[in-house]
Amino acid sequence: MSLRDAAETALTQCLALEETESCCIVTDDERRPIGEALYEVASQISSDATVVRYPPGDSHGAEPPEPVAAAMAGADVFLAPTTKSLSHTRARGDANDAGARGATLPGITEDVFTTGLDADYEAIAAHCEAVLEQVADADEIRVTSPQGTDITFEPGDREWHDDTGIVHADGEFSNLPAGEVFVSPEDAEGTYVVDGTMMPHGLLDEGQHLEFEVEDGYVTDISDDEIRGQVEDAAEDVGDAAYNLAELGIGTNVAVTELVGSVLLDEKAGGTVHVAIGDDAGIGGDTDAPIHFDGILREPTVYADGEVVDLP
């Protein structure tokens, strides 16, 4: 699959861009080839296509410059292939609130773009629906793993969401590549052990584990010095919000059969679970933080009110 092929899948199958709609491609200096491929396809569908490029952000979840946010909110459709994630920013949320539909592609590489968009997104949507049916009404979700994970989440009144990659209605949003079901829990307690992918490390070596202790919905201990340092730096600005247990996600993309070190792709892998620290305001929570760090578990068992969940 070429960059152009992947761009066509994103704009036609996933976003369903129409010739009468405006489209804004938001990218940065390090993702320029992907941004240009999307713009080329968008400009052949619509005469009202623009590309906005800016220097890469400082961290995942950091707000883009105001002109970028305004361009996203002013378009009918937006796509954002960027080095640092815009998924959990006010800019993205405000654009959706204004009626724009769109997708972010945080940390996307050319390989991940061409691999991740070579998928059947209708099938991915069906897997999302099957998982949602098992977890949506549960009062308690427990996750265990052979690596030592044993953590319990209470969604409370928070809504579960599915990221199917099919973004056809006003105000809808997805990551691309897509394929997950997720919630921002009201509470969490226990231990989770990341053995898959987590930034800034990328794909962990065999036998390498990152351990996180969680109490009353906050991460209280982080085994890794580098990640702990980044969270502490964020806490200097926002306090305890940086330690918020932000997300529980379940991967539903069965086309992703091997982790490659990209959080964007690996968190979608069917049968995996990811847990995130930091900001959750963009996914149904109430915590604003300048970070959102996902860690991926390769071999989870998920229980919904004590019943084993059938993972894709």
Side-chain angles (χ1 to χ4, degrees), residues 190-270:
T191 302
Y192 70 96
V193 181
V194 175
D195 64 324
T197 298
M198 189 167 188
M199 300 306 291
H201 299 291
L203 184 62
L204 301 183
D205 295 331
E206 185 175 354
Q208 183 182 5
H209 298 154
L210 310 176
E211 187 169 321
F212 301 80
E213 298 291 338
V214 182
E215 297 178 11
D216 297 325
Y218 290 90
V219 175
T220 58
D221 189 70
I222 301 172
S223 67
D224 183 77
D225 292 340
E226 194 165 359
I227 295 172
R228 184 172 60 252
Q230 292 190 33
V231 176
E232 289 173 348
D233 288 345
E236 292 181 3
D237 294 329
V238 298
D240 288 346
Y243 295 93
N244 178 51
L245 197 291
E247 179 186 4
L248 164 65
I250 300 171
T252 61
N253 189 330
V254 294
V256 181
T257 59
E258 183 177 349
L259 303 190
V260 299
S262 163
V263 171
L264 173 63
L265 186 65
D266 293 353
E267 70 176 2
K268 310 305 191 317

Side-chain angles (χ1 to χ4, degrees), residues 92-142:
R92 194 278 299 167
D94 290 346
N96 289 139
D97 289 344
R101 67 182 187 277
T104 55
L105 298 85
I108 193 76
T109 65
E110 294 181 31
D111 285 343
V112 170
F113 186 53
T114 54
T115 299
L117 272 296
D118 187 13
D120 181 350
Y121 279 96
E122 295 294 344
I124 290 170
H127 286 303
C128 286
E129 182 179 355
V131 172
L132 272 177
E133 288 179 354
Q134 299 175 77
V135 301
D137 295 327
D139 294 322
E140 180 181 280
I141 304 293
R142 181 185 177 204

